[in-house]
Every structure is written in C-alpha cells, then in structure tokens.
Amino acid sequence: MTNLLDLFSQIEREFENLYIENLELRREIETLNDRLADGQTVEGADLAKGALKTKASHSTSQLSQKLKTTYKASTSKPRSNSCHARVGGTRNFSVTSWELWGGDSWIVSSFKATTSRAVCQLVREYVGHRDGIWDLSVSRTQPVVLGTASADHSAMLWSIETGKCLLKYAGHQGSVNSIKFHPTEQMALTASGDQTAHIWRYMVQLPTPQPVADISTPCEDDVDSSDKDEADGEAEGPSDCPSLRVATTTLRSHQGVVIAADWLVGGKQAVTASWDRAANLYDVETAELVHSLTGHDQELTHCCTHPTQRLVVTSSRDTTFRLWDFRDPSIHSVNVFQGHTDTVTSAVFTVGDNVVSGSDDRTVKVWDLKNMRSPIATIRTDSAVNRISVSVTQKIIALPHDNRQVRLFDMAGVRLARLPQSNRTGHRRMVCCSAWCEDNTSCNLFTCGFDRQAIGWNINIPALLQEK
C-alpha cells in the first residue's frame, strides 16, 4: 500500500506538469487549426514549437506500467478504491493531436477541416465489478454473452443486449487477468494472479432485451475530457447475479502470475502465458502439460492463438513477441519479432497472414507472417497501447490507451476515428482491452478499463471506411 501511495504521488506531480503543457499545446493547436481551415500551409518548424516533452511522457508511461504490475500480481484483498480512484485526479494530460513519426517530421492527425461523418454510438455500460477490468471477450457459441476479467478476483458474464450480469465466477484467489471462450462449447478459460488458469462451464439464460436510447456521438468530436467524479462510490456489484466457485479444470505448473490464456484451434488444447517467462501448452481434457515454451528474457504479457491454424504468439516485457508453430507435430519452430523499444503488451492474429502488435513504446506495428524482418505498417501514438483487437471482415484495429482514449486504424496505419470521450461519455481511467464482435447488431465493439466498467459501442463501419 505504501508503494502504491508513493506511485500515486509521483503521478499527480506528473499530471500537474503535463496539464500546464497541455494548456499551451491546446492554444497552439487551435491556432494551427485556424490556419489550416483558412487554407494556409503549416511548416515543420511551426509544429516543432508544440512538441511534447518526450521525457515527461515516457515517465508517465513508466509509472502506468508500475501500476499495472502491482494490480495484476495481486493475490490478496483488492486495494482500497479510495486509493486508485485518485489516478488521474481532475487533470487531462492526454494531448491526442500530436503524433511523432520519427526524425524531424511531425504529423498532426486530428487537423481536419471537416467533422467525420462516421458515427460511434455508446450503446451500453456494463457495471458491477469492484476493481479495474483487465480483459474482455465475446463468446463464440449461443447464447452470445460478454465476459469480463477483473482485478477484484472475479470474472463476469453479461447479457450484451440488457447489460445484466448473468453469472459471476469467483473461483480464483487473485486478480483475474484474462478471459477467453471455448470455440464450440459453453466453457470459459480464465488466467489469474494466483498462478493458475481455470476452465469452467457455464449455463446462462438471456433476459428480454430492452429498447436502446439513441445517444450517438460523432467519432471525431473532440470534447474537453475531464474526469468524471465517481459519485456512485464503491460498486457493490449485481445482487441477483448467480455465482460459480468451482472450476471444471485447473491448469497448474507456472511459478508466477498467469497473465493470459487462450484456446488453440479446435479447443482441445490451451496455452497460458506467465510472469515466470514461460508459456505452457496444456491438454484440456487431462490438464497435463504438453509443452513449455521458453525463450523470452522477461515476463510475458499476453498470448494469442490463430483462429484457424495451430499457431501461437506470445508477447513479453523483453520488447519482443514470438511466433510458435505447432502445425507440424514433429517440428515446433519459433520466430522472434523485434521492432519495439518497450514492453509488447499484446500481439494478435488477423484472419489472413498478419500479426498486429501493440506496445508501451506507444506504437502499433503490422507484420506479414511471410516476411517477418520488418513491419509493413507502423502506427505511432501519444500513449501506451494495451490489449488491441482486429475486426475479422474489415480488419479495423482498435487501440485502447493508457490515456483513456480508444482509436481505430486500418491495416495501412490510417487513423479512422477516435471514440467519444468526455466527462459524460467513454472511459474515465486507463482503457485496458478492446474486443470486436461484428456479428452483433447492437454492439460490435467492446472496451474495458480501470474505471471498473465495460462499454459496448456500435461503430458504423461502412461510414467509417467511406470517410477514408
């Protein structure tokens, strides 16, 4: 607790400094926007005047990483919300208009003369966890439900249409760091700070959907985003939500926090990633360890499996991610991807032959599995990137950021939109994860964060792509 308080004090001091810089930057951005709207050109020297101080930004990123580490390793009673509710205070330190693309070339991605026609609608908020939500995913079988994994030691299943909690899994003794659904059965796989992964079966009945209010907001609407006071205080959670405490299968053998887990194609095997620097491949039916995947130099942060092939990608704090190939039973090859300069927070497959990686170095890189020497596209942002997701059909990348923003990009690195974020709309704390569900008519994108809520969005994808 003392260490947390020290970290919060440092963050508050950083916020004070960045807030002052932010005010000055806003004035300069308004001036530049006016000049652009009048058809004037903007020279690189003018843009350089408003450059963010990278040392201060990097310092904040490091403090954020320390907070993530502290909470994901939690195996005792969750910290008092009165402490971590102070993160961010009343300061908005994100300056999302400036993006450095290397050298002396600056690109100001939000300098647009017209407002985007694309509409991003916040459809529903899923509230009930008592601590930050690290991960979420959508089930692949009927009934389709939303799953969330939280630092409050629980995972919850939600009705997408009504926001009602359908089931609470409380079998872990530590922070629940990830959740993934079985490809064909009503089973969930959760990873935890208690050094285990659990497989548990669920049976839920969906309630009757309620009409959805129209609260659409333009994606590019740059609202002055100040923190919303947590007036509701301590979330007590859904009182009528049934609880499950016993796992069907427990996967053991890690010597550290299990940070993520996923099903291999077919669902007969599962892979886990841990802070003990190893990823383990298990037989689901017997819970036996099949392979231990070693080679990373530091703690693992994420793992992901290919939707149709026996491929696994693991991410690490050693600034790399590794591709493990199990397609040939006799040969288990591994390829190392180097290109980031800080922790790789996640790397995910697309349906084709691409991998997309996100990092605390504030970049997202798109890679071709057939040519892994260098990325085919690089997205540079102003904040650390957490667990990303890529839509199946249109391959739109959803980037959740430490600075509470969620941005959408295409595979070529072109920014499509930023989800609305203000004191009334969007996340009020760090956004930890995103997950697409294009088959759902009401919500096709979900995000979750340290504000203890998940949000369901409706993204008008045709309008989004037309805006390109």
Side-chain angles (χ1 to χ4, degrees):
M1 182 62 70
T2 303
N3 291 337
L4 278 174
L5 291 174
D6 291 341
L7 288 173
F8 291 142
S9 298
Q10 293 179 52
I11 289 175
E12 287 176 344
R13 289 194 295 270
E14 293 286 348
F15 284 176
E16 292 292 339
N17 295 332
L18 290 170
Y19 180 64
I20 295 172
E21 294 177 15
N22 196 1
L23 292 177
E24 181 61 29
L25 268 172
R26 285 180 183 275
R27 296 190 192 98
E28 295 184 19
I29 289 170
E30 289 173 2
T31 301
L32 290 170
N33 272 327
D34 291 340
R35 292 173 59 183
L36 286 171
D38 294 337
Q40 301 180 29
T41 59
V42 179
E43 301 297 333
D46 293 330
L47 296 178
K49 294 178 182 177
L52 282 176
K53 293 179 173 56
T54 56
K55 288 185 179 179
S57 179
H58 184 65
S59 176
T60 303
S61 177
Q62 288 180 324
L63 290 170
S64 173
Q65 182 61 39
K66 290 180 182 178
L67 279 174
K68 296 179 194 178
T69 302
T70 302
Y71 271 85
K72 287 185 179 179
S74 170
T75 55
S76 58
K77 184 178 179 180
R79 272 70 169 175
S80 168
N81 285 300
S82 62
C83 281
H84 69 253
R86 292 171 55 201
V87 178
T90 58
R91 305 302 189 202
N92 168 31
F93 67 92
S94 62
V95 187
T96 57
S97 298
W98 295 87
E99 296 180 9
L100 174 61
W101 285 78
D104 297 324
S105 175
W106 288 82
I107 292 180
V108 186
S109 60
S110 68
F111 287 175
K112 294 186 178 180
T114 59
T115 302
S116 171
R117 295 190 301 271
V119 173
C120 300
Q121 181 180 0
L122 190 156
V123 178
R124 184 155 282 107
E125 296 175 340
Y126 304 86
V127 180
H129 279 292
R130 300 189 180 198
D131 212 331
I133 304 176
W134 292 122
D135 197 32
L136 49 64
S137 64
V138 180
S139 65
R140 292 181 271 182
T141 59
Q142 296 292 336
V144 178
V145 296
L146 174 68
T148 54
S150 171
D152 66 6
H153 298 194
S154 75
M156 288 185 178
L157 305 185
W158 307 82
S159 163
I160 292 175
E161 307 298 335
T162 67
K164 176 183 173 67
C165 177
L166 305 175
L167 180 68
K168 176 180 179 180
Y169 180 70
H172 283 292
Q173 301 301 310
S175 169
V176 184
N177 299 321
S178 79
I179 181 169
K180 285 290 186 292
F181 290 97
H182 192 277
T184 59
E185 299 183 42
Q186 292 186 28
M187 292 194 300
L189 170 64
T190 49
S192 174
D194 62 13
Q195 302 186 7
T196 68
H198 288 182
I199 297 173
W200 41 279
R201 292 186 175 271
Y202 62 88
M203 291 184 63
V204 295
Q205 184 174 358
L206 297 180
T208 304
Q210 300 296 322
V212 176
D214 185 5
I215 49 176
S216 58
T217 307
C219 289
E220 295 290 341
D221 195 11
D222 288 341
V223 186
D224 191 9
S225 55
S226 58
D227 275 320
K228 179 181 177 181
D229 292 334
E230 308 238 3
D232 53 352
E234 187 88 12
E236 292 300 327
S239 57
D240 58 343
C241 183
S243 182
L244 174 67
R245 295 183 180 274
V246 180
T248 305
T249 305
T250 299
L251 306 179
R252 308 179 189 274
S253 71
H254 281 297
Q255 304 302 312
V257 169
V258 182
I259 198 64
D262 202 357
W263 304 90
L264 261 72
V265 58
K268 293 184 178 180
Q269 292 181 321
V271 62
T272 57
S274 171
W275 284 3
D276 63 9
R277 305 185 183 185
N280 287 341
L281 185 65
Y282 295 91
D283 181 278
V284 170
E285 185 176 354
T286 64
E288 291 183 356
L289 178 63
V290 179
H291 292 290
S292 185
L293 313 179
T294 59
H296 281 291
D297 295 330
Q298 294 188 41
E299 296 92 334
L300 272 63
T301 57
H302 191 250
C303 64
C304 180
T305 59
H306 194 280
T308 61
Q309 302 182 64
R310 289 178 55 81
L311 298 172
V312 176
V313 62
T314 56
S315 310
S316 172
R317 294 186 65 183
D318 64 10
T319 75
T320 73
F321 64 94
R322 292 178 176 239
L323 175 66
W324 309 83
D325 191 342
F326 295 100
R327 290 175 294 186
D328 187 340
S330 61
I331 303 174
H332 302 144
S333 63
V334 58
N335 292 283
V336 181
F337 290 73
Q338 297 176 325
H340 289 287
T341 59
D342 206 336
T343 297
V344 180
T345 52
S346 65
V348 299
F349 290 100
T350 67
V351 173
D353 292 324
N354 297 113
V355 172
V356 183
S357 59
S359 171
D360 277 342
D361 65 9
R362 306 192 293 276
T363 70
V364 171
K365 297 179 183 289
V366 181
W367 307 77
D368 187 344
L369 291 178
K370 298 176 182 178
N371 181 14
M372 299 171 290
R373 288 174 295 181
S374 60
I376 59 177
T378 297
I379 302 167
R380 303 185 188 274
T381 71
D382 62 345
S383 179
V385 181
N386 295 309
R387 292 181 176 179
I388 59 178
S389 64
V390 183
S391 64
V392 174
T393 56
Q394 299 297 339
K395 294 186 178 181
I396 299 174
I397 312 169
L399 278 60
H401 288 287
D402 274 6
N403 66 0
R404 301 172 293 172
Q405 301 288 344
V406 180
R407 295 186 178 95
L408 306 181
F409 286 81
D410 67 12
M411 294 287 284
V414 176
R415 197 184 86 164
L416 302 177
R418 182 176 64 219
L419 301 193
Q421 199 278 324
S422 69
N423 60 341
R424 297 178 304 276
T425 305
H427 287 287
R428 305 187 295 274
R429 298 287 181 264
M430 172 180 70
V431 190
C432 300
C433 181
S434 65
W436 287 95
C437 181
E438 293 170 279
D439 295 334
N440 192 280
T441 56
S442 60
C443 301
N444 55 3
L445 177 64
F446 298 89
T447 57
C448 64
F450 221 60
D451 53 5
R452 296 175 282 164
Q453 69 173 342
I455 297 178
W457 306 86
N458 183 274
I459 310 300
N460 189 338
I461 294 180
L464 201 65
L465 298 177
Q466 183 180 3
E467 182 67 17
K468 290 174 61 178

